[in-house]
């Protein structure tokens, strides 16, 4: 390994890593938001609507992210959807993650004991208030570990954005490798940066988990 | 003394698919009276109780609270609007076997929640009334505890406070002490007795025969979806004529011998 390469390439590697984090963060946040909406609609909408959404879920889950990104970036302009690489990548991550997040929220909601929903109905609470005050807070707690887990999986999907020329970490590492003919260093950088990111996310996830389950653990 | 509702149940049937869970149930409950529902497990007690506040839809017949039909616009007709149903439910309190407190809220927040979201009170006002309800059930010193930090008996008393804070005119109890350790049963029954003494109309599904004998005005015995008999507690519990009731009480007494 040649440490001088890292010194020389550190500015573009760091910039690339910044973009990786940005794309991941926005893709995850938007994907979660879309997934939450999907899960709520699936729970409350009439049957025909849920069939349409189920079809969306099956299609997105049944195709590789790479294919989705190609269709969005190269196929989009044919239907008038012209996106720059980075926005296309973020939209792609959002779409790709949404059905998984939706399933995570769905099972989180299912974990809320039905009796606690009934108790709210029995005192005359309206459904929107029940969702906001009981279903969401309790469902999120159950969903949290799986949400963090899938967010971690998504960090590694960002490398695919290099295919549509988003200058994120993978893109810059490839550039470094082809310019210097040193491939070991590139893989080392990828491993190190992703390991660091994943570590931070999972620690953060555990911190939140301890915080929000503080009152829920039985300690009579 | 509370304002208390009457309940009239007439020819109520309930089907779960092909299963006939309630068969032509007739039962009227006068304002301020306590009715205990007893009977073997699976006889339809919970189903009947849950039909009274329409947590369970009945298939035919009529259930009226203070003369007003619950769940449907007309007997056998279309369902009533969600808004109308919620309005009726405001004055019907319910207490469940599993307490069903909201675990992410303190005792005070559990009780204040309905006052805020349903009655539209301000937070301060709601919490003041919630505190009053909690003191009434003897939990003035436990208001800041989350359910996970309360005993079963305390949790069930919070659940009762949550219901009575809404100032109901009718209270439904579904085996309120069945999930409790024996030494915690008394504190919950005492709160219920106090409520009965205030003149609340109460329908109580229970296996506590002592409570039925001493507090109930009438005891109803159910079996296999039928209301077999409704009468004064003594006539059901001490001199039952129906062999089904005799058999039920025999197994009950055998279980309590040691
Ligand atoms: N949601 C349901 N779907 C199908 N059958 C049910 C349902 N709820 C209750 N039952 C059946 O109805 C009968 C009466 O139940 P329930 O009212 O809970 O009895 P109890 O409270 O007297 O023990 C039982 O046989 C039970 O299996
Ligand atoms: Mg029952």
């Amino acid at each position: 390994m040649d440490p001088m390469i890292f010194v020389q390439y550190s500015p573009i590697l760091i910039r690339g890593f910044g973009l990786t984090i940005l794309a991941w963060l926005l893709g995850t946040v938007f994907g979660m938001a879309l997934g939450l909406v999907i899960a709520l609609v699936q729970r409350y909408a009439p049957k025909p609507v849920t069939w349409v959404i189920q079809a969306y879920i099956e299609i997105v889950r049944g195709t590789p992210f790479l294919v989705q990104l190609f269709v969005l970036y190269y196929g989009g302009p044919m239907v008038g959807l012209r996106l720059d690489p980075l926005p296309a990548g973020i939209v792609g991550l959002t779409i790709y993650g949404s059905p998984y997040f939706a399933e995570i929220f769905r099972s989180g909601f299912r974990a809320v004991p039905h009796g606690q929903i009934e108790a709210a109905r029995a005192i005359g609470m309206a459904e929107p208030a029940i969702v906001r005050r009981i279903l969401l807070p309790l469902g999120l707690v159950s969903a949290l570990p799986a949400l963090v887990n899938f967010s971690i999986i998504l960090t590694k999907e960002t490398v695919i954005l290099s295919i549509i020329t988003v200058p994120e970490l993978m893109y810059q590492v490839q550039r470094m490798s082809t310019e210097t003919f040193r491939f070991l260093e590139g893989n080392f950088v990828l491993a190190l940066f992703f390991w660091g990111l994943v570590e931070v996310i999972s620690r953060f996830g555990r911190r939140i988990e301890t915080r929000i389950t503080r009152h829920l653990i039985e300690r009579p | 003394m509370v304002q208390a509702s009457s309940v009239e149940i007439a020819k109520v049937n309930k089907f779960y698919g092909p299963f006939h869970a309630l068969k032509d149930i007739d039962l009227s409950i006068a304002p301020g009276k306590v009715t205990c529902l007893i009977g073997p497990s699976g006889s339809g007690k919970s189903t009947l109780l849950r039909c009274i506040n329409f947590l369970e839809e009945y298939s035919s017949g009529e259930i009226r609270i203070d003369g007003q039909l619950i769940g449907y616009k007309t007997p056998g007709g279309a369902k009533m609007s969600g808004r109308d149903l919620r309005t009726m439910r405001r004055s019907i309190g319910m207490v469940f076997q599993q307490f069903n407190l909201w675990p992410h809220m303190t005792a005070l927040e559990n009780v204040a929640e309905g006052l805020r979201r349903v009655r539209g009170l301000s937070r301060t006002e709601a919490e003041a009334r919630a505190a009053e309800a909690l003191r009434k059930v003897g939990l003035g010193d436990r208001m800041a505890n989350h359910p996970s930090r309360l005993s079963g008996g305390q949790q069930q008393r919070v659940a009762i406070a949550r219901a009575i804070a809404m100032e109901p005119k009718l209270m439904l109890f579904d085996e309120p002490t069945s999930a409790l350790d024996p030494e915690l049963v008394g504190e919950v029954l005492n709160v219920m007795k106090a409520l009965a003494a205030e003149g609340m109309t109460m329908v109580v599904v229970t296996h506590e025969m002592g409570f039925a004998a001493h507090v109930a005005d009438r005891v109803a015995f159910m079996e296999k979806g039928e209301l077999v008999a409704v009468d004064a507690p003594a006539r059901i519990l001490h001199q039952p004529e129906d062999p089904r009731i005799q058999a039920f009480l025999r197994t009950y007494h055998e279980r309590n011998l040691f």
Side-chain angles (χ1 to χ4, degrees):
Chain A
M1 280 229 266
D2 180 359
M4 280 320 287
I5 292 185
F6 298 131
V7 177
Q8 186 191 342
Y9 278 88
S10 64
I12 67 159
L13 289 178
I14 287 167
R15 218 172 328 125
F17 190 47
L19 267 190
T20 293
I21 293 176
L22 180 73
W24 167 76
L25 196 65
L26 292 179
T28 301
V29 168
F30 295 153
M32 264 190 212
L34 183 57
L36 180 59
V37 171
I38 290 174
L40 284 173
V41 172
Q42 286 295 72
R43 196 180 163 93
Y44 289 102
K47 280 262 164 58
V49 178
T50 70
W51 292 334
V52 174
I53 292 177
Q54 197 57 40
Y56 166 86
I57 291 177
E58 300 300 336
I59 290 168
V60 177
R61 282 205 301 188
T63 49
F65 182 42
L66 181 67
V67 174
Q68 292 167 18
L69 211 53
F70 264 127
V71 170
L72 181 70
Y73 187 67
Y74 296 107
M78 288 183 223
V79 292
L81 183 72
R82 208 171 297 276
L83 290 172
D84 286 339
L86 181 61
I90 292 167
V91 171
L93 281 169
T94 301
I95 292 172
Y96 174 73
S98 62
Y100 298 97
F101 282 125
E103 286 295 303
I104 292 169
F105 284 120
R106 189 181 65 94
S107 67
F109 293 156
R110 282 173 61 102
V112 179
H114 189 58
Q116 289 170 19
I117 309 280
E118 282 194 329
R121 289 201 183 119
I123 57 169
M125 260 168 93
E127 218 57 34
I130 295 177
V131 169
R132 210 158 34 81
R133 301 288 302 168
I134 291 147
L135 188 71
L136 270 181
L138 291 172
L140 281 178
V141 170
S142 317
L144 187 71
L147 288 175
V148 171
N149 194 43
F150 189 71
S151 305
I152 286 173
I153 292 175
L154 272 188
T155 58
K156 282 160 283 184
E157 295 293 339
T158 59
V159 299
I160 295 177
L161 304 196
S162 61
I163 308 270
I164 58 165
T165 71
V166 178
E168 43 68 76
L169 186 63
M170 183 68 179
Y171 183 91
Q172 304 292 20
V173 162
Q174 279 171 338
R175 185 173 141 196
M176 177 177 89
S177 301
T178 45
E179 284 173 11
T180 61
F181 300 103
R182 319 250 347 179
F183 295 93
L184 184 63
E185 284 78 354
N187 284 309
F188 177 73
V189 165
L190 279 175
L192 189 73
F193 279 30
F194 274 102
W195 172 74
L197 180 59
V198 167
E199 196 57 30
V200 168
I201 298 168
S202 61
R203 267 165 205 246
F204 183 67
R206 270 197 298 265
R207 277 253 299 270
I208 302 183
E209 201 181 331
T210 351
R211 252 186 87 108
I212 62 177
T213 56
R214 204 174 26 178
H215 299 301
L216 304 181
I217 297 158
E218 202 76 40
R219 270 174 310 192
Chain B
M1 281 288 148
V2 297
Q3 246 191 316
S5 289
S6 66
V7 182
E8 292 95 36
I9 299 170
K11 286 254 169 300
V12 163
N13 284 277
K14 164 76 187 172
F15 290 88
Y16 289 111
F19 179 70
H20 202 168
L22 295 177
K23 300 171 184 165
D24 277 334
I25 306 288
D26 288 303
L27 178 64
S28 15
I29 299 165
K33 297 294 179 190
V34 177
T35 303
C36 281
L37 285 180
I38 64 169
S41 157
S43 56
K45 307 180 296 294
S46 297
T47 306
L48 179 60
L49 192 77
R50 292 160 54 81
C51 283
I52 297 176
N53 65 354
F54 212 66
L55 275 185
E56 209 71 72
E57 294 174 14
Y58 50 100
S59 314
S60 68
E62 300 174 24
I63 297 181
R64 293 178 182 276
I65 318 289
D66 286 333
Q68 195 187 349
L69 190 68
I70 190 160
Y72 300 99
K73 284 184 180 146
T74 55
K79 286 227 217 97
M80 77 194 309
S81 71
R83 172 186 286 270
D84 287 347
L85 181 58
R86 289 198 297 276
T87 307
M88 289 191 75
R89 279 178 177 165
R90 278 189 205 189
S91 52
I92 308 173
M94 187 162 204
V95 174
F96 302 84
Q97 181 176 351
Q98 299 300 335
F99 327 136
N100 292 337
L101 294 179
W102 301 305
H104 57 308
M105 301 181 192
T106 63
L108 188 71
E109 288 165 345
N110 264 278
V111 180
E113 186 67 11
L115 295 169
R116 294 179 67 189
R117 314 290 154 190
V118 180
R119 297 273 296 273
L121 299 188
S122 74
R123 189 191 176 123
T124 338
E125 175 81 349
E127 291 191 343
R129 290 208 199 177
E132 195 183 316
L134 282 166
R135 277 193 289 272
K136 204 166 155 185
V137 298
L139 290 172
D141 55 344
R142 289 284 185 277
M143 297 196 273
N145 287 43
H146 280 79
S148 60
R149 292 295 193 88
L150 294 169
S151 73
Q154 291 169 336
Q155 290 186 57
Q156 193 60 297
R157 285 187 282 149
V158 173
I160 294 174
R162 173 170 71 180
I164 62 177
M166 301 292 289
E167 297 170 332
K169 303 179 192 166
L170 163 66
M171 287 281 293
L172 309 174
F173 294 84
D174 193 356
E175 301 199 31
T177 58
S178 296
L180 299 178
D181 291 335
E183 75 272 19
L184 303 177
V185 168
E187 61 189 65
V188 171
L189 292 182
N190 285 338
V191 168
M192 292 169 62
K193 277 180 203 160
L195 207 53
E198 281 182 37
M200 179 73 77
T201 309
M202 293 166 55
V203 186
V204 185
V205 176
T206 188
H207 294 294
E208 291 295 327
M209 296 304 160
F211 182 85
H214 296 114
V215 183
D217 296 289
R218 292 203 304 164
V219 174
F221 178 82
M222 290 186 72
E223 193 184 71
K224 299 203 174 95
E226 281 178 60
L227 196 66
V228 175
V230 194
D231 215 328
R235 293 183 55 91
I236 300 280
L237 300 173
H238 298 312
Q239 315 113 30
E241 281 159 24
D242 194 292
R244 289 171 287 186
I245 308 179
Q246 291 168 359
F248 172 75
L249 290 175
R250 209 157 38 237
T251 52
Y252 174 79
H253 288 307
E254 276 161 17
R255 203 174 339 117
N256 286 281
L257 285 178
F258 55 86

